[in-house]
Amino acid sequence: GLGFNIVGGTDRQYIFNDSSIYVSRIKKDGAAYLDGRLQEGDKILAVNGKDLKDLRHKDAVELFMNAGYEVSLKIQRRLQPQNGPVGHQSDGESGGLPLAAILVPGLALAAAAVWILLRYRQRM
């Protein structure tokens, strides 16, 4: 085999509202593992030039099983973590500020401004 498992398809959506085929697991010492380019979570767009769009899971599996000795994959790397079953290994860098880092100080400033305004109005 090619040394990896796939999930997805029109009949087995892995991610809500997305019938694409994804790499779910790369087997240790398999062809994909030894090659090193494919990663868990990658979306596979085509196998040997054959588009995987709108295929049932079993039809995608059949394409992989009949791919031959030399296999060319067109993939889309998962750039950001998404909600869904596939895990994402981060390199430790954040893609931006968490929402709480913006909201908490903003709410604190707004509360302080309201308090000052109320105190000012009481004195008048």
Side-chain angles (χ1 to χ4, degrees):
L2 300 174
F4 62 91
N5 294 354
I6 61 169
V7 291
T10 57
D11 57 335
R12 295 186 189 180
Q13 287 187 353
Y14 188 61
I15 295 178
F16 179 73
N17 211 20
D18 182 355
S19 60
S20 301
I21 303 296
Y22 290 89
V23 176
S24 63
R25 182 173 158 251
I26 296 179
K27 299 174 185 176
K28 282 258 193 229
D29 300 324
Y33 177 84
L34 296 172
D35 178 77
R37 290 180 282 180
L38 196 62
Q39 296 178 10
E40 291 178 0
D42 285 349
K43 181 189 290 191
I44 304 176
L45 305 173
V47 179
N48 292 339
K50 294 179 184 172
D51 192 3
L52 296 183
K53 188 174 183 178
D54 299 325
L55 284 183
R56 293 180 303 175
H57 181 80
K58 74 175 195 170
D59 295 331
V61 169
E62 189 174 317
L63 270 178
F64 284 105
M65 292 180 75
N66 296 322
Y69 183 72
E70 289 190 29
V71 179
S72 171
L73 300 178
K74 181 178 180 183
I75 63 147
Q76 179 180 354
R77 186 82 62 215
R78 180 170 292 176
L79 299 177
Q80 297 177 355
Q82 296 180 3
N83 293 334
V86 175
H88 176 80
Q89 295 178 340
S90 174
D91 58 5
E93 292 191 26
S94 172
L97 289 174
L99 187 58
I102 297 167
L103 287 180
V104 171
L107 289 174
L109 285 173
V114 168
W115 183 80
I116 291 169
L117 180 63
L118 290 175
R119 297 281 289 168
Y120 178 77
R121 289 181 83 184
Q122 278 181 344
R123 291 186 181 178
M124 295 206 131

